[in-house]
Amino acid sequence: KQEVTQIPAALSVPEGENLVLNCSFTDSAIYNLQWFRQDPGKGLTSLLLIQSSQREQTSGRLNASLDKSSGRSTLYIAASQPGDSATYLCAVRHEYGNKLVFGAGTILRVKS
Amino acid sequence: DVKVTQSSRYLVKRTGEKVFLECVQDMDHENMFWYRQDPGLGLRLIYFSYDVKMKEKGDIPEGYSVSREKKERFSLILESASTNQTSMYLCASSSLRGDQPQHFGDGTRLSIL
């Protein structure tokens, strides 16, 4: 059974700092990995999707990498801003099927 | 722009009531999903559907049923609501294309008294 772990569970940083969020998964037979952002009391917003054949994806100040064989992904946020404060979730989709398995998330607070 | 709309943001019901949560997407997506999100337990899949009138159980289907009569609409039904079904419910949709993400609604916070 696929298990997804996110470290750290919470992170508090000063504005302007570069930071890394970690995601690991136990079954490397994945189709893709997705990073989402969730603001308090809201739904999830898709940030980046990495196919299993890809190594990384970039969107603005966000960069996500994937090492499928070791079961790891990182989300790099450059020059963090208070507006980046949210919960960040990673999720993996198995090679067969449409279901996503989610990690518990990292709660990020960027202080001004 | 992609839009997944859940009918209610907040809902309060009593134990034993039959509760309907509605979700509509405007992207002509084949797949639709219902999750619940609880502190410490994360997102857990209740049911999903990959086509009209088709459904599959997720990880925690007990006490729930679903209906998908039209492609754009996916309903979650609590047959006889219980207090342990108090939670945040999230609907999502996705296309069959593997390179596209799931899109989520804003959620329904359901309280069962």
Side-chain angles (χ1 to χ4, degrees), chain A residues 31-32 34 36 38 41-44 46 49 51 89 93 98-100 102, chain B residues 9 31 33 35 37 43 45 48 88 90 98-102 104-106:
Chain A
Y31 189 82
N32 63 40
Q34 301 177 36
F36 294 89
Q38 185 176 30
K42 295 278 198 165
L44 279 65
S46 177
L49 181 150
Q51 296 290 82
L89 297 124
R93 176 181 163 182
N98 297 313
K99 298 193 292 185
L100 292 180
F102 284 84
Chain B
R9 289 298 313 277
N31 300 320
F33 308 82
Y35 298 89
Q37 185 176 31
L43 270 87
L45 182 65
F48 69 100
M88 174 72 134
L90 292 163
D99 61 348
Q100 298 297 309
Q102 284 191 16
F104 282 78
D106 279 340

